[in-house]
Amino acid sequence: MNNASLPIQPFTDVWLDCRTNNLIAMLVEANPVFRQLPYLISGYFYNKHHDVRLFDRHMFNMEFMFPFEAFINTTVVTVSNQQEAHEAIREGLEEGDYLFVNLDRYYYPTGYDSNQIHRIHPAFIYDYSDTEQTYMLLEDCIEIGKIDVYRLAFSNFDHALVLDSQAKAQIWRCRPKQTAKLDNQSLIPPDYRIPGLYVGSDIPNYAISNELRALTRTEERLYGVEALKNTANYLKEMLSEVNQAGLITLKKSVRRPFFYHSARIQLPALLRSSGLISPSDEAELIHIFKQHSDLWETGSYLIMFYTLKKERGLKINPDMLDQLEEKFLELYEAELGLQRIGLKVDEMLLRS
């Protein structure tokens, strides 16, 4: 390899998304206390409601947010071509920075997006090899829900690099701040509110516009749990035109909130150990979060069963489409209910 290899291990405790998991992996390398972050992260649903394709316009997505800038220093380097990108990546790694760069995974040699979907996303680079002519990435492109090491040849990188309308590309250089003295409680800010999926109007500004947020390309979006309802309302119409790429997106979209809510079952224990809630409140919250996670699990399995039948060319019973529509509406109502539970938790925190 080379002398620029940076220490990193895939963060596999829970899958949120490639960007968030890799930011956490970077922080865990600096201080293991950051393994608690998935319990504290908030998120929101959204639709890319101006997309030209019906399925992509109405299929809900999730995005996660946490003020990572409090713990990570970031600088952005702009390059004008592939050669400049290679030079900037090499320089960043040799100076001890982890790197993100937007790549189109359609041009990856392997993975579920390869030659299937033009999925532009922030690839995470932590090493390179001149001998093998490859970059070392942490990616979730081989198996949905799993982050692992991925080798990308320089030649594939050249095809995958995303240039904007000005023929420019950006590379984010990131490194953890000095965080060695942090403990569990110091991760919880003084104005802490229960993390959850924001309704829409209350999404913090940092979730939309900060520097690390720019790693996710911006489109005009419908934000909040209404995006989930929008999916339910258009579900049958969407599925009538879904292709293989859409099935991959469908599976990812539904698995992500299930993993997220499953991780949050650990949150009450963290709040109690930090002296923020009582043991009785902890038990009540675990029960609430477990019920919600179970609901998303059943929805996830239903979608996985549908996509399996679709991929194998099996007949889809109309009753199954009705079940899917009802399940999405049920999940929408459950997410609204969780907002009210969030207010209840705020009361628990206030009286602790």
Side-chain angles (χ1 to χ4, degrees), residues 87-121:
E87 292 170 359
I89 290 170
R90 182 186 297 265
E91 179 180 321
L93 291 172
E94 289 177 351
E95 294 181 2
D97 290 332
Y98 299 94
L99 304 171
F100 285 97
V101 57
N102 279 325
L103 299 181
D104 185 347
R105 294 204 304 209
Y106 179 90
Y107 298 105
Y108 280 22
T110 56
Y112 51 75
D113 291 330
S114 176
N115 291 304
Q116 292 284 338
I117 307 173
H118 285 283
R119 192 185 306 280
I120 297 170
H121 96 126

Side-chain angles (χ1 to χ4, degrees), residues 235 302-303 306 320-328:
L235 187 65
L302 188 59
I303 284 292
Y306 167 82
M320 188 175 205
L321 296 178
D322 291 336
Q323 283 183 298
L324 285 169
E325 183 180 53
E326 290 171 5
K327 179 56 68 175
F328 274 104

Side-chain angles (χ1 to χ4, degrees), residues 321-339:
L321 296 178
D322 291 336
Q323 283 183 298
L324 285 169
E325 183 180 53
E326 290 171 5
K327 179 56 68 175
F328 274 104
L329 287 172
E330 183 182 8
L331 291 168
Y332 163 71
E333 293 293 339
E335 290 296 341
L336 283 180
L338 208 59
Q339 303 301 319

